[in-house]
C-alpha cells in the first residue's frame, strides 16, 4: 500500500461542518524507517499523537454528515498544527522524552518533511475548507490529564479560540450547562498560535471555527469515542444555529 500523509473520510458529505484532526496518528512514515527511535510506550503517549481524537472525529463526521480530515503522521515527525516558521514545528524533546530521530534533523530534512507530509496535509485541508463559503471548521484534539512534574488538569473539555469566538462562545455556554462537565475556555492552553491550522485555514479567511480539546483518559476506547462524538454533535449543531450568517 502506498503511504499517504492524510486520510479523508466522507469526502462526498456536504454538511456545513468540516471535522479536522491534526494529530490523529502516531505513524512514522516508511521513508523515516517507521521509527524515531523512541520506545513503544512513548509513541503511545500524547507526545506522539492526540490519543482518542481520531475516533471522536470520525464519530462526529458520521453524526454531522461531515467530511473528516485526519493526519497520517506523528506530530513528532512534523507538527501540522504549527506554522512553518514555528520553533516547535520539529520537536527534539517533548515532555521529558528526547526524540532520537530528530536529534540530527537539519534545515534540509525539515524542508523534506514539510514537502512530504505537512504541505500535502494542508493542501487537502484548504481544498476541503474552500468547498463551501459557509464552512464551519471543527478541529478535534485531546490533552493529557497531567504532564510530567506538572499539576493535574481539572477540565474534561476545553474550547480554544482566538479573536473569532462566534462558534466557541455558544458552544462553551452549552457545554457549561452540562452538569457533569468541567469546561475550560482556552484551557489547558491558549487557543491561538500564528500559523497554526485554525489560523491558516479559519481565521485568515474569516471562516467559522472552533477547536475542541478532550481529556484523553475520557476517550481511550472506541465506545468512549463514539459516545463523545454523539454527545458533541447536537451541541455543535445548536451552537452553529446561534451564529449569524
Amino acid at each position: 500500500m502506498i503511504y499517504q500523509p492524510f486520510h479523508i473520510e466522507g469526502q462526498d458529505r456536504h454538511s456545513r461542518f468540516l471535522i479536522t484532526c491534526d494529530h490523529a496518528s502516531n505513524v512514522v512514515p516508511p521513508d523515516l524507517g517507521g521509527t524515531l527511535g523512541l520506545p513503544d510506550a512513548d509513541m503511545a503517549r500524547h507526545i506522539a499523537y492526540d490519543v482518542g481524537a481520531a475516533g471522536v472525529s470520525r464519530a462526529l463526521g458520521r453524526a454531522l454528515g461531515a467530511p473528516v480530515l485526519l493526519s497520517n503522521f506523528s506530530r513528532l515527525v512534523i507538527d501540522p498544527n504549527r506554522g512553518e516558521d514555528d520553533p516547535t514545528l520539529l520537536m527534539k524533546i517533548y515532555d521529558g522524552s528526547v526524540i532520537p530521530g530528530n536529534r540530527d534533523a537539519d534545515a534540509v530534512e525539515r524542508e523534506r518533511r514539510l514537502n512530504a507530509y505537512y504541505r500535502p496535509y494542508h493542501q487537502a485541508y484548504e481544498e476541503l475548507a474552500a468547498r463551501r463559503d459557509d464552512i464551519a471548521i471543527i478541529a478535534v484534539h485531546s490533552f493529557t490529564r497531567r504532564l510530567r512534574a506538572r499539576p493535574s488538569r481539572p477540565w474534561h473539555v476545553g474550547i480554544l479560540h482566538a479573536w473569532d469566538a462566534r462558534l466557541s462562545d455558544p458552544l462553551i455556554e452549552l457545554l457549561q450547562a452540562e452538569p457533569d462537565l468541567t469546561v475550560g475556555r482556552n484551557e489547558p492552553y491558549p487557543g491561538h498560535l500564528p500559523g497554526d491550522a485554525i489560523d491558516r485555514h479559519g481565521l485568515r479567511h474569516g471562516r467559522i471555527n472552533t477547536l475542541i480539546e478532550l481529556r484523553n483518559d475520557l476517550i481511550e476506547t472506541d465506545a468512549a469515542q463514539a459516545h463523545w462524538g454523539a454527545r458533541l454533535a447536537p451541541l455543535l449543531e445548536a451552537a452553529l444555529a446561534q451564529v449569524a450568517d
Side-chain angles (χ1 to χ4, degrees), residues 12-27:
D12 295 332
R13 298 171 186 160
H14 296 291
S15 165
R16 280 189 67 182
F17 290 103
L18 167 62
I19 313 302
T20 66
C21 192
D22 299 327
H23 300 144
S25 174
N26 60 357
V27 165

Side-chain angles (χ1 to χ4, degrees), residues 104-151:
D104 298 321
D106 57 13
V108 172
E109 174 61 11
R110 176 181 171 279
E111 185 68 13
R112 190 194 71 80
R113 294 189 195 184
L114 282 168
N115 286 326
Y117 323 123
Y118 178 105
R119 288 172 180 150
Y121 173 78
H122 281 287
Q123 181 178 349
Y125 198 140
E126 183 56 31
E127 288 173 359
L128 288 168
R131 294 199 308 180
R132 293 184 61 137
D133 292 338
D134 62 351
I135 203 81
I137 300 172
I138 312 300
V140 179
H141 291 254
S142 71
F143 65 96
T144 185
R145 185 164 195 163
R146 184 193 295 270
L147 294 167
R148 288 176 176 172
R150 298 285 184 88

Side-chain angles (χ1 to χ4, degrees), residues 15-180:
S15 165
R16 280 189 67 182
F17 290 103
L18 167 62
I19 313 302
T20 66
C21 192
D22 299 327
H23 300 144
S25 174
N26 60 357
V27 165
V28 179
D31 57 3
L32 283 171
T35 179
L36 292 171
L38 284 167
D40 291 345
D42 268 339
M43 291 304 296
R45 291 205 300 136
H46 68 97
I47 66 171
Y49 74 124
D50 281 355
V51 176
V56 175
S57 298
R58 293 186 179 101
L60 264 180
R62 290 190 297 268
L64 294 170
V68 183
L69 174 67
L70 305 116
S71 67
N72 191 34
F73 53 93
S74 171
R75 68 195 301 167
L76 297 179
V77 170
I78 195 161
D79 194 333
N81 195 35
R82 296 293 184 270
E84 291 196 13
D85 59 351
D86 192 298
T88 65
L89 179 71
L90 202 161
M91 297 287 280
K92 301 197 175 185
I93 183 170
Y94 192 180
D95 195 24
S97 293
V98 175
I99 297 93
N102 291 349
R103 181 182 291 118
D104 298 321
D106 57 13
V108 172
E109 174 61 11
R110 176 181 171 279
E111 185 68 13
R112 190 194 71 80
R113 294 189 195 184
L114 282 168
N115 286 326
Y117 323 123
Y118 178 105
R119 288 172 180 150
Y121 173 78
H122 281 287
Q123 181 178 349
Y125 198 140
E126 183 56 31
E127 288 173 359
L128 288 168
R131 294 199 308 180
R132 293 184 61 137
D133 292 338
D134 62 351
I135 203 81
I137 300 172
I138 312 300
V140 179
H141 291 254
S142 71
F143 65 96
T144 185
R145 185 164 195 163
R146 184 193 295 270
L147 294 167
R148 288 176 176 172
R150 298 285 184 88
S152 182
R153 293 160 159 174
W155 308 281
H156 299 101
V157 58
I159 302 301
L160 277 54
H161 63 86
W163 47 266
D164 182 355
R166 287 176 292 171
L167 184 57
S168 297
D169 281 345
L171 180 59
I172 289 169
E173 289 183 8
L174 290 164
L175 286 165
Q176 287 176 334
E178 303 276 310
D180 60 328

